[in-house]
Amino acid sequence: MTKGCSILYSFLVLVSLLLPILRVCNASDRWNLTIWCSRTPNPRICESCVQLIYPDKFSLEQFQQGTMILAIQEAVNATKIVWKNVHNLKTEREKTRWKSCGNHIDATIHDLATAISADSDDGRQDPLNKALASVAECYKESVRGKSKENRLGVISSHLYKLVENAIAVNNSTIALLMKVERKLSGKQENGCKETSRHFKNISQQQGTAPSISPLGEGTYPIRASSTGAQIKIVVAKDGSGDLETIKAALDTAQSRAGGRFLIHLKKGIYNEYVVIPSHLKDVRMIGDGIGKTIITGNKHSGHNGIDTYTSATFAVEASGFIAEGITFRNTAGRHGGQAVALRSHSDHSAFYKCSFESYQDTLFLFPGRHFFRDCDIYGSMDMICGDSTAVFQNCNIFLRKHTGDDVVITAQKRSGRDGGSGFVIQNSRVVLTEELRPLGGERVFLGRPWGKFSRTVFMKTYLEGISKQGWREMHENRDGDLVYYAEFENTGPGADTSGRIKWRGVRVIDEKEASEFTVGRFLHGRSWLPATGIPYDSDL
């Protein structure tokens, strides 16, 4: 059975089980469809589609769940169409785009299932935001092509609107009224919690697996990690470990029954393109230190059908990934265009004492919570980009010379006003490399808005060589009034904010507002970072 058909079958079965349960949940407190759909960005689609699954009256709880069901049904139909047609395309370029779109929609299905299975409104927001970002990537593939690829645009555009509606419903007064309703009724959760259990069973794994071998003697300290059984394996290029390639180690991880999979990468240069698939959760990789354990590649956009997404040397699609003491490198060079060193869709992902090296789009981060501590990041244009919720703490950001005149650190892609994503650079250093220093900092910028509601915060960070303007426009988005670009107690020659660009969204914030972007509040780090064993500052 093909990948698309397998996903289609699984979710059609699950949705068929889900609908009858929803119909009997909370049959009281009926509300007008037009009123509630008016709270969404796409009210007409909301009304016409919700009526398909609820021809009669329905409750608030059913309406909220229904918007997610509609999105997942549309995603299932979309993945069926994509994987059915991909083999009929004539050129490799078209096939690559359709396959990429198919992978994004498959990720959307997974994230929507996670959202439906969440026990709280807050727990739905991250997976819904991830789903929206994946659909946006599919749409981006469609607008690059012609002819049949326009069909991708129709598919992804409609799916995008359905996911967008689901996000709005979960963020709006609807969710608030549901919480009030539960309190008044004296219930923490109502009968619709049953719907979650069907989806939770999708990816649950039980049991533990025996250790393969003890970790070898490395020069990098092995830190304490999360609870649960650990499978330990050593990878060494010189043959002194259990295996010689990262791919072989991940193939071994596929057969584990549960627990965190711990891989020690001994020093060496690993010329591999690595993908950690979404089902391979809780992988921890520990190298022998920056510049000692190196994972490298040289793919870049525009070469042999490769785009930004597929240019990544190392890609993480599974949650709970942790890396320590590793250099992730893309050697395409400053003339290579978009060349990603690390692409991550992971949630609850942490990187400690790692290095990321490229020029354009060094870090491509999709929705999910990412934490970077004591890391080095090298780049020149949009070096930290994407739609994730990420905090960079005690990091060094090294600015390289770009092929053009401008150097830009961030390109954050929050596309909705209610989106929870954003980049936070805290207690870090932004410095010019020697190749850039002679040119000065007049064309060096903190960021530009990839998404209309782009959000980036620099706080308590040393800034060298930043232009007086500070921020600049992006060709896809020239409206800077909707962004949230903030600075708080930065230092250094680039920290003067008096000459910043006059956008309503650009601001200097006080301590109270800055505290909303700490690890503790913005990443909810206290709930998951202690288990990683990685040091962090929860507050300012």
Side-chain angles (χ1 to χ4, degrees):
M1 186 179 289
T2 65
K3 181 179 182 181
C5 289
S6 176
I7 292 174
L8 171 68
Y9 175 78
S10 299
F11 279 94
L12 283 178
V13 171
L14 288 166
V15 170
S16 68
L17 292 172
L18 178 63
L19 284 172
I21 297 172
L22 281 175
R23 292 189 188 278
V24 300
C25 289
N26 223 9
S28 61
D29 299 323
R30 309 289 184 175
W31 297 88
N32 185 281
L33 176 61
T34 303
I35 293 175
W36 295 119
C37 282
S38 69
R39 267 77 170 177
T40 69
N42 309 285
R44 289 185 179 180
I45 290 177
C46 174
E47 285 193 56
S48 60
C49 291
V50 170
Q51 285 177 336
L52 294 176
I53 58 173
Y54 299 132
D56 301 318
K57 294 181 180 180
F58 52 86
S59 68
L60 283 175
E61 186 94 17
Q62 288 173 308
F63 177 73
Q64 186 186 48
Q65 291 270 338
T67 58
M68 292 185 286
I69 292 171
L70 286 167
I72 204 168
Q73 285 178 323
E74 182 67 17
V76 167
N77 290 333
T79 196
K80 178 183 177 181
I81 293 169
V82 170
W83 293 114
K84 180 179 179 180
N85 284 277
V86 71
H87 302 294
N88 300 325
L89 300 173
K90 295 180 180 179
T91 68
E92 286 301 317
R93 189 179 185 86
E94 284 182 317
K95 288 181 180 179
T96 298
R97 284 178 176 152
W98 276 66
K99 287 178 181 178
S100 178
C101 190
N103 288 330
H104 287 306
I105 295 176
D106 290 345
T108 298
I109 293 172
H110 177 270
D111 292 327
L112 288 171
T114 302
I116 291 177
S117 72
D119 293 329
S120 67
D121 298 326
D122 292 339
R124 294 188 184 103
Q125 287 310 307
D126 280 323
L128 284 175
N129 288 332
K130 290 179 71 175
L132 189 69
S134 293
V135 180
E137 288 301 313
C138 178
Y139 182 77
K140 187 172 71 174
E141 294 295 338
S142 72
V143 298
R144 289 175 178 166
K146 298 178 181 179
S147 64
K148 272 194 172 184
E149 295 183 22
N150 289 334
R151 191 178 181 189
L152 283 180
V154 175
I155 295 169
S156 55
S157 177
H158 187 60
L159 178 57
Y160 186 93
K161 291 175 182 177
L162 289 173
V163 178
E164 198 174 33
N165 280 356
I167 291 174
V169 168
N170 276 276
N171 268 343
S172 70
T173 52
I174 298 170
L176 178 62
L177 282 171
M178 285 174 56
K179 290 178 181 178
V180 173
E181 179 187 344
R182 289 176 192 143
K183 273 192 174 181
L184 291 175
S185 65
K187 299 176 182 178
Q188 292 301 313
E189 298 288 345
N190 63 20
C192 286
K193 188 172 181 181
E194 282 296 321
T195 62
S196 301
R197 294 174 187 166
H198 293 282
F199 287 90
K200 281 185 175 179
N201 289 332
I202 295 172
S203 59
Q204 280 184 338
Q205 296 179 343
Q206 298 179 348
T208 58
S211 173
I212 294 175
S213 76
L215 283 171
E217 292 293 329
T219 58
Y220 196 79
I222 306 301
R223 302 185 62 82
S225 67
S226 59
T227 58
Q230 291 193 23
I231 305 169
K232 303 176 183 179
I233 193 167
V234 178
V235 178
K237 292 290 292 183
D238 60 7
S240 61
D242 299 304
L243 298 167
E244 295 184 12
T245 67
I246 301 169
K247 183 182 184 304
L250 293 175
D251 288 342
T252 301
Q254 303 275 358
S255 61
R256 66 174 177 167
R260 181 169 289 283
F261 195 89
L262 180 58
I263 301 172
H264 177 201
L265 300 180
K266 297 184 74 173
K267 64 180 181 180
I269 299 175
Y270 297 85
N271 289 285
E272 299 186 49
Y273 293 99
V274 179
V275 178
I276 300 180
S278 59
H279 64 274
L280 204 56
K281 298 179 180 180
D282 298 326
V283 171
R284 187 187 192 105
M285 287 188 180
I286 299 178
D288 283 342
I290 292 175
K292 295 180 179 179
T293 298
I294 302 168
I295 304 172
T296 185
N298 61 3
K299 290 182 179 180
H300 59 91
S301 178
H303 180 67
N304 292 334
I306 295 170
D307 60 8
T308 307
Y309 186 87
T310 54
S311 71
T313 299
F314 196 97
V316 184
E317 298 173 355
S319 63
F321 178 77
I322 301 171
E324 305 179 31
I326 299 172
T327 291
F328 301 89
R329 180 179 292 169
N330 189 313
T331 61
R334 69 165 56 92
H335 299 287
Q338 294 95 335
V340 178
L342 173 80
R343 167 171 58 82
S344 178
H345 297 253
S346 183
D347 190 24
H348 291 163
S349 185
F351 299 85
Y352 179 55
K353 291 189 175 180
C354 289
S355 177
F356 308 90
E357 302 175 7
S358 186
Y359 282 83
Q360 186 167 352
D361 297 356
T362 305
L363 289 173
F364 194 3
L365 305 177
F366 285 75
R369 283 154 289 192
H370 297 80
F371 179 61
F372 297 80
R373 172 78 181 209
D374 298 344
C375 290
D376 295 339
I377 305 159
Y378 293 80
S380 57
M381 175 58 69
D382 303 338
M383 53 194 292
I384 304 171
C385 62
D387 191 23
S388 78
T389 305
V391 175
F392 299 82
Q393 201 172 78
N394 293 21
C395 292
N396 296 310
I397 298 175
F398 296 106
L399 306 182
R400 290 173 155 178
K401 182 181 177 182
H402 189 52
T403 52
D405 293 329
D406 291 357
V407 172
V408 182
I409 300 172
T410 66
Q412 209 279 331
K413 201 183 179 183
R414 188 172 67 138
S415 55
R417 191 184 301 274
D418 294 325
S421 69
F423 295 155
V424 177
I425 291 85
Q426 178 189 12
N427 292 328
S428 296
R429 295 173 65 249
V430 175
V431 296
L432 309 180
T433 57
E434 290 303 318
E435 62 183 1
L436 187 61
R437 198 175 300 278
L439 303 179
E442 286 306 310
R443 303 303 301 172
V444 178
F445 300 91
L446 297 172
R448 58 179 184 164
W450 190 5
K452 186 182 293 186
F453 297 92
S454 177
R455 179 163 61 180
T456 302
V457 179
F458 283 80
M459 54 189 192
K460 292 191 172 183
T461 290
Y462 176 85
L463 303 177
E464 179 186 52
I466 302 299
S467 72
K468 294 180 180 179
Q469 179 178 323
W471 312 85
R472 54 152 286 188
E473 74 283 347
M474 194 170 195
H475 54 85
E476 292 101 337
N477 180 23
R478 296 185 179 276
D479 182 6
D481 290 340
L482 298 177
V483 304
Y484 183 96
Y485 285 161
E487 298 175 61
F488 172 70
E489 291 189 358
N490 296 316
T491 59
D496 182 3
T497 60
S498 61
R500 293 296 190 247
I501 191 170
K502 303 305 180 184
W503 289 344
R504 282 182 296 178
V506 172
R507 65 200 71 192
V508 176
I509 57 178
D510 58 21
E511 183 174 342
K512 181 179 179 181
E513 192 167 350
S515 67
E516 296 298 321
F517 297 98
T518 57
V519 167
R521 294 191 179 183
F522 194 56
L523 283 186
H524 303 290
R526 296 187 189 94
S527 67
W528 61 278
L529 279 174
T532 67
I534 293 174
Y536 68 95
D537 297 318
S538 182
D539 302 311
L540 290 173

